[in-house]
Amino acid sequence: MYKKISVILFIIFLLSGSYSLVAQTKTIDIPKAQDLSNEERRKFDYYFYEALNAKAIDKYDAAYDFLKYCMEIDSTNANVLYELGNYFTALNDKNKAVNYYRKAIDYDSDNYNYNLAYAMMCLDLKQYSDAIVQFEKLIIEDPDNTEMYVYLSESYRMDGDLMNAISTLDKLEQIVGLNEKISLHKYQLYNMLKQEGKAFAEIQKYIDKYPNEIKYQILLGDLYLQTGKTNEAYLVYSKAKAVDPDDPYLISSMAQYYEKTNNKAAAESEL
């Protein structure tokens, strides 16, 4: 579920396709898109398609030159601004890239790909408040895109807003159902908030739903043991033992419990 942001951004550059060449306008507080003559539009279209063709065969310097020609004709075209952002992303010049992505959404604020590229770059540059705004916007546009909830939650976490990070994962859980990775992430977040009861409840709900799945009881016992709650760990391990006393993972966990409680003889007996 978690991808390396830099890889995603590079894929955006490689795979982004062509879009409508008509410059988009935004009605609030931005310059109006340029009106082009027929001759200017013919040149613009030629240079833009040549830029895309050059990019398709990995001639990125040539693609950049063609895009600059486009900018000389129409500096307000969101497609060109987006492609320039992709170009600088591939060069790992993140500051230039984020500025071009920002300009692209100024002129085409509803374009999903532009907003996604900007959001991911903001996250990569640790501009978390801007990333949060963008990911929230993307989720409104496509509420079933589960990856956006992960990125939004991570943006909140990195921005220090742990409760909203958890709330975002709750929304994701409503879409995908009970999910171990989500629950473990929420467990960690609750622990960061010093809310141990809610943290352990994230694991307990699996035991409640799957009482005969011993792995969840072992996991809860192990987490109790890691946090020094040896009595609670023993109670959970005992319940697991009633389900399957010969489970090798349970035997290993019980041995660790006895080691932790300085009962080496019992630990050796378990093994």
Side-chain angles (χ1 to χ4, degrees):
M1 187 175 293
Y2 294 94
K3 299 178 181 179
K4 290 187 177 179
I5 294 171
S6 58
V7 174
I8 294 172
L9 291 169
F10 185 66
I11 291 172
I12 290 172
F13 177 76
L14 292 178
L15 300 184
S16 61
S18 60
Y19 300 93
S20 170
L21 299 183
V22 179
Q24 301 297 313
T25 60
K26 185 179 177 183
T27 58
I28 301 176
D29 296 332
I30 64 165
K32 189 175 181 180
Q34 294 175 212
D35 292 325
L36 303 182
S37 67
N38 289 337
E39 179 63 15
E40 287 172 329
R41 188 168 301 283
R42 183 189 67 78
K43 289 181 179 180
F44 179 91
D45 289 358
Y46 169 79
Y47 289 135
F48 187 78
Y49 282 120
E50 285 300 310
L52 293 179
N53 290 333
K55 185 181 75 171
I57 57 175
D58 298 336
K59 293 185 176 181
Y60 299 120
D61 289 341
Y64 175 73
D65 289 338
F66 284 122
L67 291 172
K68 292 300 288 184
Y69 293 148
C70 290
M71 285 289 287
E72 291 174 4
I73 298 170
D74 183 2
S75 62
T76 68
N77 189 279
N79 301 316
V80 175
L81 294 165
Y82 172 67
E83 290 294 344
L84 284 168
N86 292 338
Y87 172 78
F88 284 108
T89 293
L91 293 180
N92 204 34
D93 191 338
K94 298 175 183 179
N95 290 317
K96 285 186 178 180
V98 77
N99 287 332
Y100 277 113
Y101 289 144
R102 186 183 296 113
K103 291 177 183 177
I105 63 174
D106 278 344
Y107 290 100
D108 190 356
S109 61
D110 294 328
N111 186 291
Y112 191 89
N113 290 321
Y114 302 172
N115 280 283
L116 176 59
Y118 180 51
M120 297 293 278
M121 187 57 77
C122 286
L123 183 57
D124 202 24
L125 288 171
K126 301 180 181 180
Q127 298 174 4
Y128 301 124
S129 58
D130 290 336
I132 288 167
V133 171
Q134 292 305 121
F135 286 125
E136 290 277 15
K137 182 178 179 180
L138 291 166
I139 287 173
I140 291 172
E141 185 172 341
D142 185 6
D144 293 325
N145 189 332
T146 55
E147 279 191 291
M148 294 304 103
Y149 293 88
V150 176
Y151 290 127
L152 177 59
S153 178
E154 181 64 6
S155 299
Y156 275 126
R157 184 186 74 82
M158 296 302 293
D159 202 39
D161 190 346
L162 301 185
M163 286 307 301
N164 267 322
I166 293 170
S167 176
T168 301
L169 292 177
D170 287 338
K171 294 174 184 176
L172 176 58
E173 201 170 46
Q174 290 174 6
I175 297 172
V176 302
L178 210 55
N179 180 281
E180 293 177 16
K181 289 183 179 179
I182 295 173
S183 295
L184 285 171
H185 196 180
K186 287 166 67 178
Y187 170 86
Q188 293 170 345
L189 291 170
Y190 277 125
N191 269 328
M192 291 171 68
L193 287 167
K194 309 298 183 184
Q195 297 183 16
E196 286 188 339
K198 289 184 177 180
F200 291 122
E202 286 296 321
I203 311 304
Q204 181 63 47
K205 62 188 179 184
Y206 286 87
I207 297 173
D208 295 340
K209 187 171 183 178
Y210 307 107
N212 293 321
E213 286 281 350
I214 194 172
K215 64 178 182 179
Y216 298 119
Q217 298 183 48
I218 296 171
L219 173 60
L220 181 59
D222 290 348
L223 293 173
Y224 275 134
L225 197 61
Q226 288 175 15
T227 55
K229 297 182 179 296
T230 54
N231 291 335
E232 291 86 343
Y234 181 78
L235 289 174
V236 175
Y237 290 145
S238 297
K239 292 178 181 178
K241 213 166 190 178
V243 176
D244 184 1
D246 298 321
D247 184 274
Y249 295 104
L250 175 60
I251 292 171
S252 176
S253 291
M254 286 296 298
Q256 291 179 38
Y257 162 79
Y258 286 124
E259 286 282 354
K260 191 98 171 181
T261 54
N262 297 314
N263 191 341
K264 292 185 177 180
E268 293 174 359
S269 176
E270 282 289 338
L271 298 173

